[in-house]
Amino acid sequence: GEYIDTTWYQQQVLAALADDNATQAVVVYIDSPGGMIGGAMSLYQQLRTIAAAGKPVVAVIANLGASGGYLAALGADYIVANETSLVGSVGTLLPLADLTRLADKIGIQADEVVSGKMKTATSPLRTRTAAERLYLQDTVNDLNSMFIDKVKQRRKPTPEAMRLIAEARIFSGRTAKALGMVDALGNLPEAMAWLETQQVDPTLPLLEVSLVEELPWYEEFGAGVVAPLERVVGQVAPLTPALLAR
């Protein structure tokens, strides 16, 4: 799996699914260790919008549904994971580095012009002050509280389960099921079985909908670092009766 992000094209595709009268339900295939919390929260909100439009949403976690990958899965009405899937890592990370000793060795010195005293708090060329660390920790805690709130709202874990989840642990799918983080163990067949309980016709075919805009090869080459969002969150596959007429 790769990292979750969001694009304007992705937002348009998911909004279209919410508005499409032919789409009866959505299956989201997730295989991701996480990514930007903004992108994961955006995907969560878009899936909730689809569900609010009366279309059941089920997430299938493959190898990984961790961190932002799990946050995205929380947007589904029902979550399926393989018993050996890695699920959880509910937490927020701000990766930083202090390269001041290395900079001294090779003769580099920071010389920055900033508009506010916290602007350089993440600079690798300065050792952070206690005040800067506190500021960054507060920001991380704020973002993490939003993630935790979504877990509580959507999964309603027991206090003991929530204590373990909030430690940002990674769990097997089997343990995640015991903790109430997922609804069922399995794969696509289990997801389809749940959709039947939601009055979705099981004979309807799946239509794969890419979250990546197809570009000419020369544009895709230039955007190669960020283009393969499809591999970040997998495919969003709606069940649509419109396919029967094709």
Side-chain angles (χ1 to χ4, degrees):
E2 297 189 28
Y3 291 95
I4 286 182
D5 202 346
T6 188
T7 66
W8 176 245
Y9 181 78
Q10 174 193 325
Q11 294 181 33
Q12 289 179 308
V13 169
L14 294 176
L17 288 179
D19 294 338
D20 181 16
N21 292 330
T23 300
Q24 299 299 299
V26 172
V27 178
V28 187
Y29 182 83
I30 295 176
D31 190 4
S32 171
M36 299 299 294
I37 190 170
M41 188 66 78
S42 175
L43 183 53
Y44 165 89
Q45 293 166 341
Q46 289 168 313
L47 294 179
R48 295 315 306 148
T49 297
I50 293 172
K55 308 171 196 296
V57 179
V58 55
V60 178
I61 296 175
N63 299 302
L64 274 172
S67 195
Y70 184 66
L71 175 55
L74 290 174
D77 301 305
Y78 195 78
I79 304 175
V80 178
N82 189 283
E83 64 181 354
T84 57
S85 300
L86 296 179
V87 180
S89 188
V90 174
T92 310
L93 167 69
L94 178 61
L96 300 171
D98 184 344
L99 303 182
T100 53
R101 292 177 64 185
L102 175 61
D104 287 343
K105 287 183 178 181
I106 60 178
I108 295 177
Q109 182 176 358
D111 184 14
E112 300 149 330
V113 178
V114 299
S115 58
K117 63 181 181 180
M118 293 299 178
K119 187 64 178 176
T120 56
T122 59
S123 172
L125 297 180
R126 295 174 59 257
T127 298
R128 274 162 284 285
T129 65
E132 289 171 335
R133 293 195 65 84
L134 180 61
Y135 152 66
L136 294 174
Q137 187 65 61
D138 285 345
T139 302
V140 168
N141 291 346
D142 185 31
L143 293 171
N144 188 60
S145 69
M146 300 178 200
F147 195 168
I148 294 293
D149 285 346
K150 289 292 182 286
V151 175
K152 292 178 178 178
Q153 293 167 12
R154 301 294 299 157
R155 303 307 309 178
K156 297 179 174 54
T158 66
E160 176 59 19
M162 192 67 245
R163 182 186 67 79
L164 295 174
I165 294 168
E167 290 179 350
R169 300 186 185 203
I170 195 78
F171 305 99
S172 68
R174 183 172 62 181
T175 300
K177 172 68 166 59
L179 293 173
M181 299 177 72
V182 305
D183 297 289
L185 297 179
N187 294 287
L188 183 59
E190 286 71 25
M192 301 299 290
W194 177 78
L195 287 176
E196 285 191 57
T197 70
Q198 305 302 303
Q199 288 73 55
V200 176
D201 184 353
T203 66
L204 295 176
L206 281 169
L207 170 66
E208 286 193 6
V209 178
S210 175
L211 296 182
V212 180
E213 185 176 11
E214 291 190 12
L215 300 173
W217 70 268
Y218 49 86
E219 290 187 31
E220 187 170 344
F221 178 79
V225 175
V226 296
L229 180 60
E230 181 179 350
R231 297 200 300 274
V232 174
V233 295
Q235 290 78 37
V236 176
L239 306 180
T240 167
L243 286 180
L244 299 178
R246 296 178 183 175

